[in-house]
Amino acid sequence: GAGVSQTPSNKVTEKGKYVELRCDPISGHTALYWYRQSLGQGPEFLIYFQGTGAADDSGLPNDRFFAVRPEGSVSTLKIQRTERGDSAVYLCASSSTPGGLAGGRREQFFGPGTRLTVL
Amino acid sequence: GENVEQHPSTLSVQEGDSAVIKCTYSDSASNYFPWYKQELGKGPQLIIDIRSNVGEKKDQRIAVTLNKTAKHFSLHITETQPEDSAVYFCAASRDYKLSFGAGTTVTVRA
């Protein structure tokens, strides 16, 4: 398929461990977003990449969270010293152009998410 | 930042009836309003969106209306079918960051 893919689909880890979550955006999409969705809530913005650079990381909850996109395609969200409160579904989305640009396509297409459980 | 409120949190309708979900937003600079449908275990799927220069948009059984003055927008689903059962989210944005409502669980009774 040509949609956004995320791996793994489920990740169970122990408190204090390090985890990496991967996102493959739609081919050709320059903008990539990470959101976090807690149970019974809407997604919350974490970080936005335009190309290789993080244009806005204001949604990252603290310095245990970090994300990279070294070649402007695949992105990895990294969480250090995981805590039980980090348990959530982590969603990745991509769009062909970033929002706000005149005439830009603003539709964000989401992947299936990674369900992270911290025991 | 933007604050989006969504009502109701749950909605049960008889098959064939209409469903309406309402959202309000706080940031008057928001100019893009998408609606997403999320099924269990899946990511949100964009079903319709509207920009601030348009008051209404329709796509088959789905329509969205926007009142910029009152800062609210609504999703209307007509002739509901069992496959419309899902969680629906509204969102608002002024740039690239989507701010979501808390979601509405829609159940269509056969």
Side-chain angles (χ1 to χ4, degrees):
Chain A
V4 177
S5 62
Q6 292 186 246
T7 55
S9 55
N10 281 284
K11 177 69 177 179
V12 180
T13 191
E14 294 179 343
K15 180 176 179 296
K17 299 290 188 182
Y18 168 83
V19 297
E20 290 190 351
L21 312 179
R22 176 188 169 107
C23 171
D24 278 271
I26 293 172
S27 178
H29 279 193
T30 59
L32 185 146
Y33 316 81
W34 284 97
Y35 290 81
R36 179 167 71 174
Q37 186 174 25
S38 299
L39 192 63
Q41 299 296 318
E44 293 181 313
F45 171 83
L46 295 177
I47 188 170
Y48 155 58
F49 285 90
Q50 178 55 33
T52 60
D56 183 350
D57 64 358
S58 64
L60 296 178
N62 52 59
D63 60 6
R64 296 187 297 106
F65 289 75
F66 190 71
V68 296
R69 195 185 185 200
E71 298 178 355
S73 178
V74 170
S75 176
T76 305
L77 178 66
K78 308 180 180 190
I79 310 174
Q80 299 177 321
R81 304 184 304 280
T82 51
E83 300 177 357
R84 293 192 180 87
D86 299 335
S87 296
V89 174
Y90 289 82
L91 294 164
C92 176
S94 70
S95 64
S96 56
T97 55
L101 292 183
R105 296 187 63 82
R106 301 178 69 173
E107 298 92 333
Q108 293 186 21
F109 299 93
F110 282 82
T114 293
R115 180 175 297 279
L116 175 65
T117 303
V118 181
L119 301 177
Chain B
E2 175 67 276
N3 181 47
V4 178
E5 295 195 355
Q6 182 171 348
H7 300 280
S9 57
T10 61
L11 181 60
S12 179
V13 296
Q14 189 69 37
E15 182 177 359
D17 287 350
S18 295
V20 180
I21 303 170
K22 299 182 178 182
C23 290
T24 60
Y25 62 98
S26 62
D27 185 356
S28 57
S30 288
N31 54 17
Y32 174 64
F33 307 90
W35 286 87
Y36 286 85
K37 175 184 181 183
Q38 187 172 30
E39 297 175 330
L40 199 61
K42 297 184 178 181
Q45 176 192 5
L46 180 69
I47 55 172
I48 195 168
D49 57 11
I50 192 168
R51 299 180 187 230
S52 58
N53 58 349
V54 175
E56 184 173 357
K57 183 177 178 181
K58 188 174 182 179
D59 182 4
Q60 299 182 342
R61 298 186 296 108
I62 295 174
V64 58
T65 59
L66 172 65
N67 183 326
K68 285 177 56 180
T69 303
K71 289 192 283 190
H72 66 70
F73 55 114
S74 302
L75 178 72
H76 303 250
I77 307 173
T78 58
E79 301 172 18
T80 53
Q81 302 169 2
E83 53 264 37
D84 295 330
S85 295
V87 181
Y88 291 80
F89 292 96
C90 63
S93 175
R94 64 188 299 178
D95 43 34
Y96 47 81
K97 186 185 304 185
L98 295 179
S99 297
F100 286 84
T104 297
T105 301
V106 174
T107 303
V108 179
R109 307 186 306 273

